Each structure stands twice: as structure tokens, then as C-alpha cells.
């Protein structure tokens, strides 16, 4: 099988054509897909009307999946549905701050596989930032300053999380992750910080804020960003170890928007941070 590979932007992303991922893939083809994933950090497969079983089966080629234990023995516990209904509140969008998936866990996400199930006529795009480029474009002085620092990643309890049973008043302990992570497969260094991080381990919020804000805002400069304009039956696969992303809530609430995601487990990176904000 010959894969057709087309870059999506200068910063990141590649579309892979000439393949039907609903069918089982031989190891050689998957190895080519995986190499393209490490090189371009986002893969786009257009026109893939996957069933949930096919979505899970393709995702498993990348590794072990997170499953929502709260859903007991339900089918497809690995699929997280992100749906906004007609007339939903435009202020309530899942994933509207810059983040890397499951950054609030000691073992954060390696990859996410997100499928466009129902897509508004216009808008509702997803933005991605290349954290390798963000790190590599820092001055040597800044690289030296941030080496060895840990940022505190909280579990942000949104209204949707609260409706799903999470306790707004009793969030889990946050997790400290290195600000600079070494990608376990490529060996390249990438920034690991997001909009929800408010302080650095061992520093006060006031002391931490200017540095944290500088870093994530530096990372989302247009030259490091790809904006994905969704079509129904797109499947995007991205590498959370070197990217941040956010959803954009700019669509008409006369439309439903539904995406469905699986998450591949990464490797341990941080530790539970029990200290109070300094
Ligand atoms: C998310 O951050 O998981 C949401 C992505 C999207 O639906 O665009």
C-alpha cells in the first residue's frame, strides 16, 4: 500500500491519504504511519466513517487506551464524547483553554485520536501548537533558566465535569510536571505547560505567573500553530508529548458539534503535588 502524505502547515501536521483505516493494517503500513506521526506530530485521515469499534481498534495500534472506569462494563468506555447541543451556552466549551490531554495526571496522554462526528457549517475548529518549536526558539538564557523547573497542573473542574460527578469543591491534588520534557521516542525537548498552570513548584503564584504566561503565549505564536477546520468523518491523531491544543467555540448554536476521542496512555512524567499553592 502506498500512502499519500501531504503537509498541513509549516509548523506541523500531515494528511495521510490512500488508506482505509476501517480495515486491519499490516505492520509495515502501520510502521510508516507511526514514523509520519513522530515526524509531523498530527495526522489527518479524511473521509473515515468509523464505527466506535473501528475507532478503538485503530487507536489500539498506538498503545494502551485510557478507559473511563466510572462507566463500569459499558461498551466503548475508551470513547470520550464531546457534544454540544443546539442552543447550548456558548460559554461552555470543553477544552477551550490551551492544554495537553490528561496533563493533570502523573501518566499523561501520549496520543489522542479525535473523530469529527457532527460538525457545524462553519467554525468549531481546533488549534494546535508545536511545543518543540516553542522550546527550540527560546534563547539559551531562557532554556537554562527553565531547565529543572516544574509547573503545577491542576484538574480544572468544569460545569460538564461536575455534571459527570466530579466534586467542584474537592478537586484531586494537582500534578507537577517538568517544564521541559524529553520526548521518549524522538529524544527532542519540548515545552510542557498550559493555560491552566498557575504556578511553579516551590514558587508563589505571583512569582511564577510572568514566566508561565510568557511561555505558553510564546508557544501559541501563529508560526507554531496549525488550525484544523473540521469535516465530518475526519480522524485526527496528535502527539500530546510535543503539542498543546484548544477547541474554538466560534460556531452557531443552531448546530450540534460532536467529536469523539480515544486517548493513548503515555509514560510517567510528574508527581502528585501535595503542597498548597505557595
Ligand atoms: C479537547 O480539548 O479535547 C476538545 C477538542 C475538540 O473537540 O475540538
Amino acid at each position: 500500500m502506498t500512502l499519500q502524505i501531504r503537509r498541513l502547515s509549516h509548523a506541523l501536521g500531515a494528511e495521510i491519504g490512500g488508506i482505509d483505516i476501517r480495515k486491519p493494517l499490516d505492520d509495515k503500513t502501520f510502521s510508516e504511519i507511526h514514523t509520519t506521526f513522530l515526524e509531523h506530530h498530527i495526522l489527518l485521515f479524511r473521509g473515515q466513517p468509523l464505527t466506535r469499534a473501528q475507532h478503538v481498534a485503530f487507536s489500539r495500534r498506538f498503545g494502551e487506551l485510557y478507559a473511563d472506569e466510572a462507566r463500569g462494563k459499558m461498551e466503548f468506555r475508551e470513547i470520550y464524547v464531546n457534544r454540544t447541543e443546539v442552543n447550548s451556552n456558548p460559554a461552555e466549551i470543553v477544552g477551550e483553554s490551551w492544554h495537553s490531554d490528561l496533563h493533570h495526571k502523573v501518566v499523561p496522554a501520549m496520543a489522542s485520536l479525535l473523530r469529527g462526528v457532527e460538525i457545524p457549517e462553519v467554525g468549531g475548529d481546533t488549534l494546535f501548537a508545536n511545543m518543540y518549536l516553542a522550546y527550540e526558539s527560546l534563547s539559551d538564557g531562557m532554556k537554562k533558566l527553565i531547565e529543572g523547573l516544574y509547573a503545577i497542573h491542576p484538574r480544572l473542574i468544569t460545569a460538564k465535569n461536575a455534571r459527570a460527578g466530579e466534586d467542584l469543591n474537592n478537586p484531586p491534588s494537582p500534578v507537577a510536571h517538568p517544564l521541559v520534557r524529553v520526548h521518549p521516542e524522538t529524544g527532542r525537548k519540548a515545552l510542557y505547560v498550559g493555560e491552566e498552570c498557575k504556578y511553579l513548584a516551590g514558587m508563589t503564584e505571583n512569582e511564577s505567573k510572568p514566566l508561565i504566561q510568557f511561555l505558553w503565549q510564546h508557544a501559541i505564536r501563529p508560526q507554531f500553530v496549525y488550525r484544523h477546520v473540521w469535516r465530518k468523518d475526519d480522524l485526527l491523531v496528535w502527539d500530546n508529548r510535543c503539542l498543546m491544543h484548544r477547541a474554538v467555540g466560534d460556531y452557531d448554536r443552531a448546530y450540534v458539534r460532536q467529536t469523539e476521542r480515544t486517548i493513548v496512555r503515555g509514560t510517567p512524567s510528574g508527581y502528585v503535588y501535595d503542597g498548597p499553592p505557595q
Side-chain angles (χ1 to χ4, degrees), residues 4 6-9 14-22 42-50 58 114-116 119 125-126 226-237:
Q4 294 144 19
R6 182 184 73 85
R7 289 181 70 178
L8 293 172
S9 74
E15 177 178 350
I16 299 192
I19 187 167
D20 180 349
I21 59 173
R22 290 174 299 179
I42 298 179
L43 303 179
L44 166 63
F45 299 90
R46 291 250 195 233
Q48 305 284 338
L50 303 177
F58 181 64
L114 190 69
R115 195 163 81 80
I119 301 301
D125 303 342
T126 308
Y226 165 66
R227 181 175 189 126
H228 185 65
V229 180
W230 285 95
R231 292 186 202 160
K232 182 173 164 51
D233 295 328
D234 279 352
L235 181 79
L236 274 191
V237 186

Side-chain angles (χ1 to χ4, degrees), residues 82 94-95 99 101 114 124-126 230 238 245 247 257 259 261:
N82 180 6
V94 172
H99 66 283
D101 282 334
L114 190 69
D125 303 342
T126 308
W230 285 95
W238 69 83
H245 65 281
R257 180 180 186 275
T259 54
R261 182 180 52 174

Side-chain angles (χ1 to χ4, degrees), residues 69-238:
E69 301 306 332
R71 283 192 263 169
K73 289 198 187 325
M74 264 172 70
E75 221 184 352
F76 305 124
R77 289 184 307 151
E78 300 87 352
I79 301 234
Y80 296 77
V81 177
N82 180 6
R83 179 181 170 94
T84 51
E85 300 293 347
V86 169
N87 294 330
S88 62
N89 178 354
E92 261 192 43
I93 306 293
V94 172
E96 215 189 7
S97 57
W98 282 100
H99 66 283
S100 175
D101 282 334
L102 303 189
H103 62 108
H104 57 280
K105 289 186 182 282
V106 172
V107 182
M110 182 269 244
S112 300
L113 293 92
L114 190 69
R115 195 163 81 80
V117 177
E118 281 196 62
I119 301 301
E121 189 182 21
V122 286
D125 303 342
T126 308
L127 305 177
F128 295 88
N130 183 331
M131 304 301 271
Y132 284 139
L133 293 182
Y135 174 76
E136 288 160 5
S137 57
L138 294 172
S139 66
D140 288 345
M142 180 57 89
K143 284 181 187 156
K144 210 185 276 177
L145 180 72
I146 62 177
E147 193 71 43
L149 294 182
Y150 279 68
I152 308 304
H153 293 249
R155 169 68 169 153
L156 203 70
I157 308 216
T158 59
K160 189 176 177 210
N161 301 143
R163 283 199 295 274
E166 289 190 48
D167 184 351
L168 270 174
N169 301 314
N170 194 18
S173 296
V175 168
H177 288 290
L179 262 182
V180 180
R181 283 179 74 196
V182 178
H183 193 290
E185 290 185 88
T186 65
R188 274 174 86 182
K189 288 182 174 177
L191 275 183
Y192 195 74
V193 65
E195 206 173 338
E196 291 162 20
C197 297
K198 297 290 178 247
Y199 61 99
L200 299 165
M203 294 190 200
T204 66
E205 190 170 330
N206 278 345
E207 287 166 345
S208 313
K209 215 158 128 189
L211 184 55
I212 291 188
Q213 266 186 0
F214 165 76
L215 291 172
W216 74 257
Q217 286 175 358
H218 164 75
I220 62 169
R221 292 163 72 179
Q223 59 267 48
F224 304 143
V225 169
Y226 165 66
R227 181 175 189 126
H228 185 65
V229 180
W230 285 95
R231 292 186 202 160
K232 182 173 164 51
D233 295 328
D234 279 352
L235 181 79
L236 274 191
V237 186
W238 69 83

